[in-house]
Amino acid sequence: NAGVMQNPRHLVRRRGQEARLRCSPVKGHSHVYWYRQLPEEGLKFMVYLQKENIIDESGMPKERFSAEFPKEGPSILRIQQVVRGDSAAYFCASSRVLLGQRSGNTIYFGEGSWLTVV
Amino acid sequence: DQQVKQNSPSLSVQEGRISILNCDYTNSMFDYFLWYKKYPAEGPTFLISISSIKDKNEDGRFTVFLNKSAKHLSLHIVPSQPGDSAVYFCAARGETSGSRLTFGEGTQLTVNP
């Protein structure tokens, strides 16, 4: 987990509000991923970004969710008009290079941001 | 469609004995597999990985075995220690999925002193 910084660690929002989750990758990592873990489930892929580009957003809900990774600053996962079902742990991860079968590298996860919608 | 399955939600072993965590997958396009350990309220921590061109990878107390024909992999921890108590996730990457990992549901390992 070394180096991937997520904030806030815990966030409480009322239904209909917006939630913004921030992620600073490991220094030197240009690949960022967001995963969501619902209660009693495994982690589910949401989106993969490189600087200023969304590479794969196949796991993102079509509405209310968006992600960005600007040239400067952290990656942001934004959830608009939150609903109770959005309550989950959101994990950001980063890697230096694209995960490959021969490189032996991996992606490193942050500590997570726990969103509670009341 | 759960492409990566960990059928045992929990496992309990005695300190010093071997822990064997199992994982099955259905997608034959998966070519890289990883195991992560997760403590409550923390992020997953990478343990060990294996490429589909290998059938075994070892790192200290951790060994991962891959049986491609059975689409099965397992993580062996020996000897098990109380500090190993955590949730273990199996994850897989496909040839065409870039860096997207598909995770299993996790197995809670408890190592009793």
Side-chain angles (χ1 to χ4, degrees):
Chain A
N1 292 351
V4 179
M5 303 299 293
Q6 289 188 247
N7 69 83
R9 290 295 313 278
H10 298 277
L11 182 63
V12 179
R13 285 287 178 265
R14 296 187 182 279
R15 280 178 294 172
Q17 291 184 317
E18 178 180 286
R20 284 194 181 216
L21 310 177
R22 288 176 290 280
C23 169
S24 296
V26 174
K27 188 175 181 180
H29 286 193
S30 59
H31 303 255
V32 166
Y33 319 83
W34 286 93
Y35 284 78
R36 176 167 67 172
Q37 184 181 22
L38 294 169
E40 308 301 325
E41 295 187 12
L43 285 78
K44 302 284 191 224
F45 169 82
M46 298 182 75
V47 63
Y48 160 42
L49 311 103
Q50 293 183 31
K51 283 285 188 183
E52 300 185 276
N53 287 302
I54 297 174
I55 307 301
D56 180 356
E57 56 181 349
S58 58
M60 287 272 274
K62 293 289 185 278
E63 298 177 350
R64 302 187 298 108
F65 285 72
S66 62
E68 62 177 9
F69 188 19
K71 186 177 181 181
E72 301 291 337
S75 175
I76 306 286
L77 179 67
R78 182 182 178 204
I79 312 171
Q80 295 177 287
Q81 299 169 10
V82 296
V83 301
R84 289 237 172 95
D86 297 332
S87 296
Y90 292 83
F91 292 97
C92 174
S94 73
S95 65
R96 186 175 57 84
V97 297
L98 186 66
L99 188 67
Q101 77 172 67
R102 288 180 175 81
S103 64
N105 64 57
T106 185
I107 64 174
Y108 296 91
F109 283 85
E111 299 279 282
S113 290
W114 268 257
L115 172 65
T116 302
V117 180
V118 297
Chain B
D1 176 29
Q2 188 66 27
Q3 298 186 61
V4 178
K5 284 194 71 65
Q6 295 176 253
N7 290 313
S8 298
S10 63
L11 174 68
S12 184
V13 300
Q14 284 298 121
E15 181 178 5
R17 305 294 290 269
I18 186 172
S19 296
I20 300 177
L21 298 122
N22 294 302
C23 178
D24 297 293
Y25 62 96
T26 58
N27 189 340
S28 57
M29 299 297 286
F30 286 147
D31 64 352
Y32 191 62
F33 304 88
L34 308 92
W35 283 94
Y36 285 85
K37 177 169 78 171
K38 186 179 179 303
Y39 294 115
E42 294 186 10
T45 301
F46 170 72
L47 280 175
I48 193 168
S49 63
I50 188 167
S51 162
S52 59
I53 61 174
K54 295 186 175 181
D55 55 18
K56 177 182 174 182
N57 188 26
E58 190 172 353
D59 184 0
R61 296 185 300 114
F62 302 93
T63 303
V64 56
F65 295 92
L66 175 62
N67 182 335
K68 283 180 62 179
S69 60
K71 294 190 177 67
H72 176 83
L73 66 157
S74 60
L75 174 68
H76 292 211
I77 306 173
V78 56
S80 301
Q81 300 172 353
D84 296 329
S85 298
V87 177
Y88 289 77
F89 289 99
C90 166
R93 187 203 82 115
E95 287 179 356
T96 58
S97 62
S99 282
R100 174 158 39 100
L101 295 178
T102 300
F103 282 82
E105 309 94 321
T107 296
Q108 171 69 57
L109 172 66
T110 302
V111 180
N112 301 303

mmCIF file of all heavy atoms in Angstrom, chain B residues 20-57:
data_model
loop_
_atom_site.group_PDB
_atom_site.id
_atom_site.type_symbol
_atom_site.label_atom_id
_atom_site.label_comp_id
_atom_site.label_asym_id
_atom_site.label_seq_id
_atom_site.Cartn_x
_atom_site.Cartn_y
_atom_site.Cartn_z
ATOM 1 N N ILE B 20 -4.258 -23.352 3.007
ATOM 2 C CA ILE B 20 -4.445 -23.489 1.557
ATOM 3 C C ILE B 20 -5.714 -22.758 1.173
ATOM 4 O O ILE B 20 -6.809 -23.127 1.604
ATOM 5 C CB ILE B 20 -4.529 -24.968 1.138
ATOM 6 C CG1 ILE B 20 -3.249 -25.698 1.526
ATOM 7 C CG2 ILE B 20 -4.767 -25.063 -0.377
ATOM 8 C CD1 ILE B 20 -3.275 -27.187 1.219
ATOM 9 N N LEU B 21 -5.549 -21.717 0.381
ATOM 10 C CA LEU B 21 -6.694 -20.929 -0.091
ATOM 11 C C LEU B 21 -6.882 -21.206 -1.570
ATOM 12 O O LEU B 21 -5.924 -21.190 -2.340
ATOM 13 C CB LEU B 21 -6.448 -19.444 0.154
ATOM 14 C CG LEU B 21 -6.288 -19.102 1.642
ATOM 15 C CD1 LEU B 21 -4.954 -18.455 1.903
ATOM 16 C CD2 LEU B 21 -7.406 -18.196 2.098
ATOM 17 N N ASN B 22 -8.108 -21.454 -1.953
ATOM 18 C CA ASN B 22 -8.401 -21.876 -3.318
ATOM 19 C C ASN B 22 -9.165 -20.825 -4.104
ATOM 20 O O ASN B 22 -9.910 -20.012 -3.536
ATOM 21 C CB ASN B 22 -9.212 -23.170 -3.296
ATOM 22 C CG ASN B 22 -8.412 -24.329 -2.750
ATOM 23 O OD1 ASN B 22 -7.356 -24.663 -3.283
ATOM 24 N ND2 ASN B 22 -8.902 -24.946 -1.694
ATOM 25 N N CYS B 23 -8.993 -20.906 -5.407
ATOM 26 C CA CYS B 23 -9.627 -19.938 -6.306
ATOM 27 C C CYS B 23 -9.879 -20.641 -7.643
ATOM 28 O O CYS B 23 -8.988 -21.317 -8.169
ATOM 29 C CB CYS B 23 -8.703 -18.736 -6.479
ATOM 30 S SG CYS B 23 -9.285 -17.462 -7.601
ATOM 31 N N ASP B 24 -11.067 -20.492 -8.183
ATOM 32 C CA ASP B 24 -11.406 -21.042 -9.492
ATOM 33 C C ASP B 24 -11.809 -19.913 -10.430
ATOM 34 O O ASP B 24 -12.393 -18.918 -9.992
ATOM 35 C CB ASP B 24 -12.565 -22.034 -9.361
ATOM 36 C CG ASP B 24 -12.199 -23.231 -8.508
ATOM 37 O OD1 ASP B 24 -11.341 -24.016 -8.954
ATOM 38 O OD2 ASP B 24 -12.751 -23.363 -7.402
ATOM 39 N N TYR B 25 -11.529 -20.097 -11.698
ATOM 40 C CA TYR B 25 -11.923 -19.082 -12.665
ATOM 41 C C TYR B 25 -12.542 -19.745 -13.885
ATOM 42 O O TYR B 25 -12.339 -20.932 -14.140
ATOM 43 C CB TYR B 25 -10.726 -18.200 -13.046
ATOM 44 C CG TYR B 25 -9.579 -18.911 -13.711
ATOM 45 C CD1 TYR B 25 -9.453 -18.950 -15.101
ATOM 46 C CD2 TYR B 25 -8.588 -19.544 -12.954
ATOM 47 C CE1 TYR B 25 -8.391 -19.588 -15.705
ATOM 48 C CE2 TYR B 25 -7.531 -20.184 -13.554
ATOM 49 C CZ TYR B 25 -7.430 -20.210 -14.918
ATOM 50 O OH TYR B 25 -6.368 -20.850 -15.523
ATOM 51 N N THR B 26 -13.302 -18.973 -14.613
ATOM 52 C CA THR B 26 -14.005 -19.528 -15.768
ATOM 53 C C THR B 26 -13.507 -18.972 -17.091
ATOM 54 O O THR B 26 -13.707 -19.587 -18.134
ATOM 55 C CB THR B 26 -15.512 -19.240 -15.658
ATOM 56 O OG1 THR B 26 -15.710 -17.819 -15.559
ATOM 57 C CG2 THR B 26 -16.106 -19.908 -14.432
ATOM 58 N N ASN B 27 -12.858 -17.825 -17.051
ATOM 59 C CA ASN B 27 -12.451 -17.153 -18.282
ATOM 60 C C ASN B 27 -11.087 -17.670 -18.744
ATOM 61 O O ASN B 27 -10.067 -17.412 -18.110
ATOM 62 C CB ASN B 27 -12.397 -15.640 -18.040
ATOM 63 C CG ASN B 27 -12.206 -14.841 -19.306
ATOM 64 O OD1 ASN B 27 -11.746 -15.356 -20.322
ATOM 65 N ND2 ASN B 27 -12.555 -13.571 -19.257
ATOM 66 N N SER B 28 -11.058 -18.367 -19.864
ATOM 67 C CA SER B 28 -9.797 -18.942 -20.350
ATOM 68 C C SER B 28 -8.846 -17.865 -20.888
ATOM 69 O O SER B 28 -7.696 -18.161 -21.214
ATOM 70 C CB SER B 28 -10.084 -19.970 -21.442
ATOM 71 O OG SER B 28 -10.813 -19.374 -22.486
ATOM 72 N N MET B 29 -9.339 -16.632 -21.007
ATOM 73 C CA MET B 29 -8.481 -15.542 -21.462
ATOM 74 C C MET B 29 -7.646 -14.931 -20.331
ATOM 75 O O MET B 29 -6.781 -14.103 -20.577
ATOM 76 C CB MET B 29 -9.325 -14.436 -22.099
ATOM 77 C CG MET B 29 -10.116 -14.879 -23.310
ATOM 78 S SD MET B 29 -9.047 -15.423 -24.657
ATOM 79 C CE MET B 29 -8.431 -13.850 -25.235
ATOM 80 N N PHE B 30 -7.910 -15.323 -19.110
ATOM 81 C CA PHE B 30 -7.093 -14.821 -18.002
ATOM 82 C C PHE B 30 -5.665 -15.341 -18.142
ATOM 83 O O PHE B 30 -5.452 -16.540 -18.372
ATOM 84 C CB PHE B 30 -7.659 -15.267 -16.654
ATOM 85 C CG PHE B 30 -8.906 -14.542 -16.232
ATOM 86 C CD1 PHE B 30 -9.877 -15.195 -15.493
ATOM 87 C CD2 PHE B 30 -9.105 -13.208 -16.560
ATOM 88 C CE1 PHE B 30 -11.032 -14.536 -15.086
ATOM 89 C CE2 PHE B 30 -10.253 -12.537 -16.169
ATOM 90 C CZ PHE B 30 -11.223 -13.208 -15.430
ATOM 91 N N ASP B 31 -4.692 -14.441 -18.015
ATOM 92 C CA ASP B 31 -3.310 -14.869 -18.205
ATOM 93 C C ASP B 31 -2.381 -14.449 -17.077
ATOM 94 O O ASP B 31 -1.169 -14.700 -17.134
ATOM 95 C CB ASP B 31 -2.779 -14.336 -19.542
ATOM 96 C CG ASP B 31 -2.717 -12.808 -19.573
ATOM 97 O OD1 ASP B 31 -3.212 -12.156 -18.637
ATOM 98 O OD2 ASP B 31 -2.171 -12.276 -20.566
ATOM 99 N N TYR B 32 -2.917 -13.797 -16.074
ATOM 100 C CA TYR B 32 -2.068 -13.325 -14.979
ATOM 101 C C TYR B 32 -2.924 -13.299 -13.731
ATOM 102 O O TYR B 32 -4.054 -12.786 -13.764
ATOM 103 C CB TYR B 32 -1.539 -11.926 -15.317
ATOM 104 C CG TYR B 32 -0.448 -11.404 -14.432
ATOM 105 C CD1 TYR B 32 0.781 -12.058 -14.343
ATOM 106 C CD2 TYR B 32 -0.614 -10.233 -13.701
ATOM 107 C CE1 TYR B 32 1.798 -11.558 -13.550
ATOM 108 C CE2 TYR B 32 0.402 -9.736 -12.902
ATOM 109 C CZ TYR B 32 1.605 -10.405 -12.829
ATOM 110 O OH TYR B 32 2.616 -9.907 -12.046
ATOM 111 N N PHE B 33 -2.383 -13.871 -12.655
ATOM 112 C CA PHE B 33 -3.173 -14.041 -11.449
ATOM 113 C C PHE B 33 -2.408 -13.472 -10.254
ATOM 114 O O PHE B 33 -1.180 -13.588 -10.180
ATOM 115 C CB PHE B 33 -3.475 -15.527 -11.223
ATOM 116 C CG PHE B 33 -4.165 -16.163 -12.385
ATOM 117 C CD1 PHE B 33 -3.432 -16.726 -13.429
ATOM 118 C CD2 PHE B 33 -5.550 -16.194 -12.467
ATOM 119 C CE1 PHE B 33 -4.060 -17.299 -14.513
ATOM 120 C CE2 PHE B 33 -6.188 -16.760 -13.546
ATOM 121 C CZ PHE B 33 -5.451 -17.315 -14.578
ATOM 122 N N LEU B 34 -3.149 -12.896 -9.330
ATOM 123 C CA LEU B 34 -2.530 -12.269 -8.176
ATOM 124 C C LEU B 34 -3.306 -12.638 -6.915
ATOM 125 O O LEU B 34 -4.511 -12.904 -6.974
ATOM 126 C CB LEU B 34 -2.533 -10.732 -8.311
ATOM 127 C CG LEU B 34 -1.962 -10.132 -9.590
ATOM 128 C CD1 LEU B 34 -3.046 -9.928 -10.639
ATOM 129 C CD2 LEU B 34 -1.302 -8.790 -9.286
ATOM 130 N N TRP B 35 -2.616 -12.608 -5.810
ATOM 131 C CA TRP B 35 -3.252 -12.752 -4.505
ATOM 132 C C TRP B 35 -2.981 -11.492 -3.688
ATOM 133 O O TRP B 35 -1.852 -10.988 -3.650
ATOM 134 C CB TRP B 35 -2.705 -13.963 -3.748
ATOM 135 C CG TRP B 35 -3.239 -15.268 -4.232
ATOM 136 C CD1 TRP B 35 -2.673 -16.100 -5.163
ATOM 137 C CD2 TRP B 35 -4.444 -15.916 -3.808
ATOM 138 N NE1 TRP B 35 -3.462 -17.207 -5.336
ATOM 139 C CE2 TRP B 35 -4.547 -17.126 -4.521
ATOM 140 C CE3 TRP B 35 -5.449 -15.591 -2.892
ATOM 141 C CZ2 TRP B 35 -5.611 -18.016 -4.342
ATOM 142 C CZ3 TRP B 35 -6.495 -16.467 -2.713
ATOM 143 C CH2 TRP B 35 -6.570 -17.666 -3.429
ATOM 144 N N TYR B 36 -4.034 -11.017 -3.038
ATOM 145 C CA TYR B 36 -3.945 -9.864 -2.170
ATOM 146 C C TYR B 36 -4.441 -10.250 -0.784
ATOM 147 O O TYR B 36 -5.337 -11.084 -0.634
ATOM 148 C CB TYR B 36 -4.807 -8.703 -2.693
ATOM 149 C CG TYR B 36 -4.232 -7.974 -3.883
ATOM 150 C CD1 TYR B 36 -4.433 -8.439 -5.176
ATOM 151 C CD2 TYR B 36 -3.494 -6.803 -3.711
ATOM 152 C CE1 TYR B 36 -3.914 -7.751 -6.271
ATOM 153 C CE2 TYR B 36 -2.971 -6.115 -4.797
ATOM 154 C CZ TYR B 36 -3.188 -6.598 -6.068
ATOM 155 O OH TYR B 36 -2.673 -5.925 -7.144
ATOM 156 N N LYS B 37 -3.882 -9.602 0.209
ATOM 157 C CA LYS B 37 -4.327 -9.763 1.587
ATOM 158 C C LYS B 37 -4.942 -8.439 2.038
ATOM 159 O O LYS B 37 -4.423 -7.359 1.688
ATOM 160 C CB LYS B 37 -3.123 -10.106 2.473
ATOM 161 C CG LYS B 37 -3.458 -10.227 3.941
ATOM 162 C CD LYS B 37 -2.294 -10.836 4.713
ATOM 163 C CE LYS B 37 -1.198 -9.859 4.979
ATOM 164 N NZ LYS B 37 -0.188 -10.420 5.920
ATOM 165 N N LYS B 38 -6.015 -8.523 2.801
ATOM 166 C CA LYS B 38 -6.676 -7.295 3.229
ATOM 167 C C LYS B 38 -7.087 -7.392 4.696
ATOM 168 O O LYS B 38 -7.796 -8.315 5.088
ATOM 169 C CB LYS B 38 -7.903 -7.016 2.349
ATOM 170 C CG LYS B 38 -8.562 -5.675 2.643
ATOM 171 C CD LYS B 38 -9.735 -5.454 1.733
ATOM 172 C CE LYS B 38 -10.403 -4.113 2.063
ATOM 173 N NZ LYS B 38 -10.851 -4.004 3.463
ATOM 174 N N TYR B 39 -6.640 -6.406 5.460
ATOM 175 C CA TYR B 39 -7.096 -6.258 6.837
ATOM 176 C C TYR B 39 -8.306 -5.321 6.849
ATOM 177 O O TYR B 39 -8.484 -4.506 5.932
ATOM 178 C CB TYR B 39 -5.992 -5.671 7.716
ATOM 179 C CG TYR B 39 -4.789 -6.567 7.881
ATOM 180 C CD1 TYR B 39 -3.542 -6.191 7.385
ATOM 181 C CD2 TYR B 39 -4.886 -7.786 8.542
ATOM 182 C CE1 TYR B 39 -2.427 -7.000 7.549
ATOM 183 C CE2 TYR B 39 -3.781 -8.605 8.702
ATOM 184 C CZ TYR B 39 -2.554 -8.208 8.195
ATOM 185 O OH TYR B 39 -1.451 -9.011 8.337
ATOM 186 N N PRO B 40 -9.142 -5.418 7.891
ATOM 187 C CA PRO B 40 -10.313 -4.530 7.986
ATOM 188 C C PRO B 40 -9.903 -3.060 7.908
ATOM 189 O O PRO B 40 -8.891 -2.664 8.480
ATOM 190 C CB PRO B 40 -10.906 -4.873 9.353
ATOM 191 C CG PRO B 40 -10.445 -6.262 9.639
ATOM 192 C CD PRO B 40 -9.081 -6.369 9.023
ATOM 193 N N ALA B 41 -10.683 -2.289 7.193
ATOM 194 C CA ALA B 41 -10.497 -0.837 7.083
ATOM 195 C C ALA B 41 -9.157 -0.450 6.447
ATOM 196 O O ALA B 41 -8.691 0.675 6.632
ATOM 197 C CB ALA B 41 -10.646 -0.156 8.438
ATOM 198 N N GLU B 42 -8.557 -1.373 5.719
ATOM 199 C CA GLU B 42 -7.330 -1.048 4.990
ATOM 200 C C GLU B 42 -7.476 -1.472 3.538
ATOM 201 O O GLU B 42 -8.402 -2.194 3.175
ATOM 202 C CB GLU B 42 -6.121 -1.768 5.599
ATOM 203 C CG GLU B 42 -5.776 -1.296 7.002
ATOM 204 C CD GLU B 42 -4.489 -1.925 7.498
ATOM 205 O OE1 GLU B 42 -3.776 -2.570 6.703
ATOM 206 O OE2 GLU B 42 -4.201 -1.772 8.698
ATOM 207 N N GLY B 43 -6.537 -1.017 2.709
ATOM 208 C CA GLY B 43 -6.550 -1.435 1.324
ATOM 209 C C GLY B 43 -5.890 -2.788 1.136
ATOM 210 O O GLY B 43 -5.152 -3.254 2.001
ATOM 211 N N PRO B 44 -6.157 -3.443 0.006
ATOM 212 C CA PRO B 44 -5.513 -4.730 -0.273
ATOM 213 C C PRO B 44 -4.005 -4.572 -0.429
ATOM 214 O O PRO B 44 -3.538 -3.588 -0.998
ATOM 215 C CB PRO B 44 -6.151 -5.169 -1.597
ATOM 216 C CG PRO B 44 -7.406 -4.361 -1.728
ATOM 217 C CD PRO B 44 -7.110 -3.062 -1.058
ATOM 218 N N THR B 45 -3.287 -5.548 0.055
ATOM 219 C CA THR B 45 -1.830 -5.565 -0.060
ATOM 220 C C THR B 45 -1.425 -6.723 -0.953
ATOM 221 O O THR B 45 -1.827 -7.861 -0.711
ATOM 222 C CB THR B 45 -1.185 -5.730 1.324
ATOM 223 O OG1 THR B 45 -1.599 -4.659 2.172
ATOM 224 C CG2 THR B 45 0.336 -5.718 1.223
ATOM 225 N N PHE B 46 -0.609 -6.432 -1.953
ATOM 226 C CA PHE B 46 -0.161 -7.467 -2.880
ATOM 227 C C PHE B 46 0.706 -8.493 -2.164
ATOM 228 O O PHE B 46 1.584 -8.164 -1.369
ATOM 229 C CB PHE B 46 0.631 -6.825 -4.014
ATOM 230 C CG PHE B 46 1.332 -7.809 -4.903
ATOM 231 C CD1 PHE B 46 0.611 -8.595 -5.785
ATOM 232 C CD2 PHE B 46 2.706 -7.952 -4.849
ATOM 233 C CE1 PHE B 46 1.254 -9.503 -6.611
ATOM 234 C CE2 PHE B 46 3.362 -8.852 -5.667
ATOM 235 C CZ PHE B 46 2.635 -9.630 -6.550
ATOM 236 N N LEU B 47 0.446 -9.777 -2.456
ATOM 237 C CA LEU B 47 1.230 -10.856 -1.875
ATOM 238 C C LEU B 47 2.136 -11.522 -2.897
ATOM 239 O O LEU B 47 3.346 -11.592 -2.734
ATOM 240 C CB LEU B 47 0.293 -11.921 -1.295
ATOM 241 C CG LEU B 47 -0.318 -11.663 0.068
ATOM 242 C CD1 LEU B 47 -1.293 -12.781 0.389
ATOM 243 C CD2 LEU B 47 0.736 -11.548 1.140
ATOM 244 N N ILE B 48 1.526 -12.050 -3.955
ATOM 245 C CA ILE B 48 2.266 -12.862 -4.891
ATOM 246 C C ILE B 48 1.460 -12.975 -6.179
ATOM 247 O O ILE B 48 0.233 -12.835 -6.155
ATOM 248 C CB ILE B 48 2.554 -14.265 -4.294
ATOM 249 C CG1 ILE B 48 3.596 -15.030 -5.110
ATOM 250 C CG2 ILE B 48 1.267 -15.060 -4.117
ATOM 251 C CD1 ILE B 48 4.108 -16.282 -4.408
ATOM 252 N N SER B 49 2.150 -13.186 -7.281
ATOM 253 C CA SER B 49 1.456 -13.319 -8.555
ATOM 254 C C SER B 49 2.030 -14.482 -9.341
ATOM 255 O O SER B 49 3.093 -15.016 -9.013
ATOM 256 C CB SER B 49 1.590 -12.026 -9.365
ATOM 257 O OG SER B 49 2.961 -11.763 -9.677
ATOM 258 N N ILE B 50 1.306 -14.854 -10.394
ATOM 259 C CA ILE B 50 1.787 -15.916 -11.262
ATOM 260 C C ILE B 50 1.267 -15.692 -12.665
ATOM 261 O O ILE B 50 0.103 -15.309 -12.859
ATOM 262 C CB ILE B 50 1.380 -17.309 -10.730
ATOM 263 C CG1 ILE B 50 2.054 -18.415 -11.551
ATOM 264 C CG2 ILE B 50 -0.144 -17.496 -10.723
ATOM 265 C CD1 ILE B 50 1.968 -19.791 -10.903
ATOM 266 N N SER B 51 2.132 -15.897 -13.617
ATOM 267 C CA SER B 51 1.758 -15.803 -15.015
ATOM 268 C C SER B 51 1.224 -17.151 -15.487
ATOM 269 O O SER B 51 1.595 -18.196 -14.946
ATOM 270 C CB SER B 51 2.985 -15.410 -15.834
ATOM 271 O OG SER B 51 2.802 -15.700 -17.186
ATOM 272 N N SER B 52 0.403 -17.111 -16.524
ATOM 273 C CA SER B 52 -0.175 -18.358 -17.022
ATOM 274 C C SER B 52 0.853 -19.268 -17.682
ATOM 275 O O SER B 52 0.558 -20.421 -17.986
ATOM 276 C CB SER B 52 -1.297 -18.055 -18.015
ATOM 277 O OG SER B 52 -0.805 -17.305 -19.098
ATOM 278 N N ILE B 53 2.059 -18.768 -17.902
ATOM 279 C CA ILE B 53 3.090 -19.626 -18.504
ATOM 280 C C ILE B 53 3.823 -20.445 -17.446
ATOM 281 O O ILE B 53 4.683 -21.250 -17.769
ATOM 282 C CB ILE B 53 4.104 -18.805 -19.327
ATOM 283 C CG1 ILE B 53 4.836 -17.787 -18.441
ATOM 284 C CG2 ILE B 53 3.402 -18.105 -20.477
ATOM 285 C CD1 ILE B 53 5.948 -17.048 -19.178
ATOM 286 N N LYS B 54 3.479 -20.200 -16.190
ATOM 287 C CA LYS B 54 4.096 -20.940 -15.093
ATOM 288 C C LYS B 54 3.037 -21.743 -14.359
ATOM 289 O O LYS B 54 1.836 -21.500 -14.499
ATOM 290 C CB LYS B 54 4.768 -19.973 -14.112
ATOM 291 C CG LYS B 54 5.946 -19.211 -14.685
ATOM 292 C CD LYS B 54 6.619 -18.402 -13.598
ATOM 293 C CE LYS B 54 7.869 -17.736 -14.131
ATOM 294 N NZ LYS B 54 8.563 -16.955 -13.079
ATOM 295 N N ASP B 55 3.481 -22.721 -13.557
ATOM 296 C CA ASP B 55 2.522 -23.436 -12.731
ATOM 297 C C ASP B 55 2.802 -23.274 -11.238
ATOM 298 O O ASP B 55 2.032 -23.755 -10.399
ATOM 299 C CB ASP B 55 2.474 -24.923 -13.096
ATOM 300 C CG ASP B 55 3.843 -25.577 -13.034
ATOM 301 O OD1 ASP B 55 4.754 -25.015 -12.399
ATOM 302 O OD2 ASP B 55 3.994 -26.675 -13.626
ATOM 303 N N LYS B 56 3.883 -22.576 -10.934
ATOM 304 C CA LYS B 56 4.226 -22.393 -9.525
ATOM 305 C C LYS B 56 5.084 -21.148 -9.378
ATOM 306 O O LYS B 56 5.960 -20.871 -10.212
ATOM 307 C CB LYS B 56 4.983 -23.617 -9.017
ATOM 308 C CG LYS B 56 5.465 -23.528 -7.575
ATOM 309 C CD LYS B 56 6.246 -24.787 -7.203
ATOM 310 C CE LYS B 56 6.862 -24.676 -5.815
ATOM 311 N NZ LYS B 56 7.653 -25.882 -5.465
ATOM 312 N N ASN B 57 4.816 -20.412 -8.300
ATOM 313 C CA ASN B 57 5.674 -19.292 -7.952
ATOM 314 C C ASN B 57 5.768 -19.227 -6.438
ATOM 315 O O ASN B 57 4.757 -19.354 -5.744
ATOM 316 C CB ASN B 57 5.130 -17.972 -8.513
ATOM 317 C CG ASN B 57 6.101 -16.819 -8.337
ATOM 318 O OD1 ASN B 57 7.312 -17.029 -8.256
ATOM 319 N ND2 ASN B 57 5.584 -15.603 -8.270
#
